[in-house]
């Protein structure tokens, strides 16, 4: 597949990989992703990773260019940073929603988590933490291209109900405080709600959510502890999110946990 070029508003478009199979990405044939980000290093790095999935990437450094190139190129999915020159990502999202149903994934940094709920309400297909983790981005782009079918369905497990379309989590019918984006994605997309009763290894969490950032720190432990606290799980005798020593974590609804406490679970 060859990349398509359309003038100076595009910093560069990288062709999809010419060898090897796609890696589980369910985008259509010859997918084009528009990546709007002011940081050229982020654009180039993510483009190199997405090439493994046979994805062409159109680069835009500001919100105005993103709108122009969306009209010209008709990309399959947009990945737009919340913070862009000229027009920020939320403005781009609102304009796109007035004109088309093109899936839009919004990239949010630690200072932007307050934008998540409003962005989803404005029609974002999903939000993803920035700096980006390529496997996470690839999965969200695939779900967004599928019309959000894999993303937007509410999930329930025991007392927990999670609604991705509103960015809300309820426990026993009561809303929790709004989860930070990493904890929301840990609970929803990467881990627990999609894999109830299954052990999710720390290695998988590290690779998919934090990468190198978690290799020399207690990042995973801290986030799981905070998530337990927000869900009302006893940190000394956790029942919802159980630790399997030396392996990882699993989400077990209380009725099952009461009947049989899994061997190796944290006390």
């Amino acid at each position: 597949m060859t990349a398509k070029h359309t003038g100076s508003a595009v910093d560069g478009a990288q062709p999809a990989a010419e060898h090897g199979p796609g890696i589980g990405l369910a985008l259509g044939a010859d997918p084009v992703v528009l990546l709007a980000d002011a940081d050229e290093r982020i654009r180039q790095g993510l483009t190199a990773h997405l090439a493994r999935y046979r994805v062409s990437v159109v680069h835009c450094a500001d919100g105005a260019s993103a709108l122009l190139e969306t009209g010209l190129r008709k990309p399959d999915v947009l990945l737009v940073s919340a913070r862009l020159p000229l027009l920020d990502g939320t403005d781009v999202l609102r304009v796109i929603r007035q004109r088309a149903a093109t899936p839009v994934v919004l990239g949010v940094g630690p200072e932007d988590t307050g934008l998540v709920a409003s962005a989803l309400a404005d029609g974002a297909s999903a939000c993803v933490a920035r700096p980006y983790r390529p496997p996470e981005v690839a999965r969200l782009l695939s779900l967004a291209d599928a019309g959000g079918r894999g993303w937007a369905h509410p999930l329930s497990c025991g007392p927990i109900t999670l609604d991705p379309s509103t960015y809300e989590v309820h426990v026993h019918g009561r809303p929790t405080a709004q989860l930070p984006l990493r904890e929301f994605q840990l609970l929803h997309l990467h881990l627990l709600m999609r894999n109830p009763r299954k052990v999710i290894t720390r290695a998988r969490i590290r690779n998919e959510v934090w990468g190198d950032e978690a290799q020399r720190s207690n990042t995973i432990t801290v986030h799981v502890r905070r998530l337990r606290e927000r869900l009302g799980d006893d940190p000394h005798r956790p029942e919802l999110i159980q630790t399997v020593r030396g392996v990882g974590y699993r989400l077990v609804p209380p009725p099952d946990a009461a009947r049989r406490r899994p061997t190796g679970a944290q006390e």
Side-chain angles (χ1 to χ4, degrees):
M1 178 174 61
T2 59
K4 306 166 188 177
H5 298 271
T6 57
S8 60
V10 181
D11 295 323
Q14 298 292 330
E18 298 296 335
H19 59 278
I23 311 176
L25 190 61
L27 289 164
D30 296 337
V32 175
V33 171
L34 186 141
L35 172 60
D37 199 292
D39 190 326
E40 182 177 2
R41 293 173 299 177
I42 288 179
R43 295 196 307 268
Q44 296 292 347
L46 188 56
T47 294
H49 283 283
L50 290 178
R52 301 172 57 203
Y53 298 86
R54 300 180 180 271
V55 174
S56 291
V57 180
V58 177
H59 292 190
C60 296
D62 60 74
S65 296
L67 290 177
L68 175 63
E69 291 304 318
T70 298
L72 293 173
R73 298 290 300 273
K74 310 298 184 187
D76 298 287
V77 184
L78 280 72
L79 174 57
V80 181
S81 172
R83 295 180 181 265
L84 290 171
L86 302 183
L87 290 174
D88 64 26
T90 55
D91 289 332
V92 171
L93 168 64
R94 284 190 284 266
V95 173
I96 294 295
R97 278 293 158 270
Q98 292 172 1
R99 302 177 179 177
T102 307
V104 178
V105 175
L106 191 70
V108 297
E111 69 280 12
D112 302 319
T113 53
L115 300 175
V116 173
S118 60
L120 292 171
D122 287 340
S125 300
C127 293
V128 62
R130 182 181 177 276
Y132 301 119
R133 293 289 304 141
E136 179 179 22
V137 171
R139 183 179 299 105
L140 286 177
L141 294 179
S142 176
L143 293 173
D145 185 60
R149 291 187 297 273
W151 173 265
H153 285 170
L155 298 174
S156 294
C157 185
I160 307 171
T161 301
L162 180 151
D163 190 341
S165 66
T166 60
Y167 192 62
E168 292 178 340
V169 177
H170 289 74
V171 180
H172 295 294
R174 297 181 178 180
T176 66
Q178 188 176 87
L179 299 183
L181 184 59
R182 287 294 192 195
E183 292 174 29
F184 184 84
Q185 293 179 328
L186 186 68
L187 183 63
H188 173 225
L189 187 63
H190 296 290
L191 262 183
L192 303 168
M193 297 292 286
R194 290 186 172 275
N195 298 278
R197 301 180 182 85
K198 295 181 180 179
V199 177
I200 308 299
T201 66
R202 290 178 63 89
R204 175 176 169 186
I205 297 170
R206 180 169 54 246
N207 291 334
E208 293 193 5
V209 184
W210 284 282
D212 293 340
E213 300 171 28
Q215 289 183 357
R216 298 179 182 87
S217 72
N218 63 345
T219 299
I220 297 172
T221 301
V222 169
H223 278 76
V224 170
R225 174 175 57 79
R226 290 175 178 170
L227 184 56
R228 281 173 172 150
E229 292 173 353
R230 296 181 203 279
L231 298 177
D233 205 7
D234 185 341
H236 303 292
R237 296 183 61 85
E239 292 289 344
L240 287 174
I241 302 176
Q242 299 178 354
T243 299
V244 180
R245 295 187 187 279
V247 182
Y249 303 93
R250 61 181 157 197
L251 179 68
V252 178
D256 286 354
R259 287 196 299 268
R260 182 184 62 191
R261 189 174 186 81
T263 301
Q266 176 175 310
E267 295 292 334

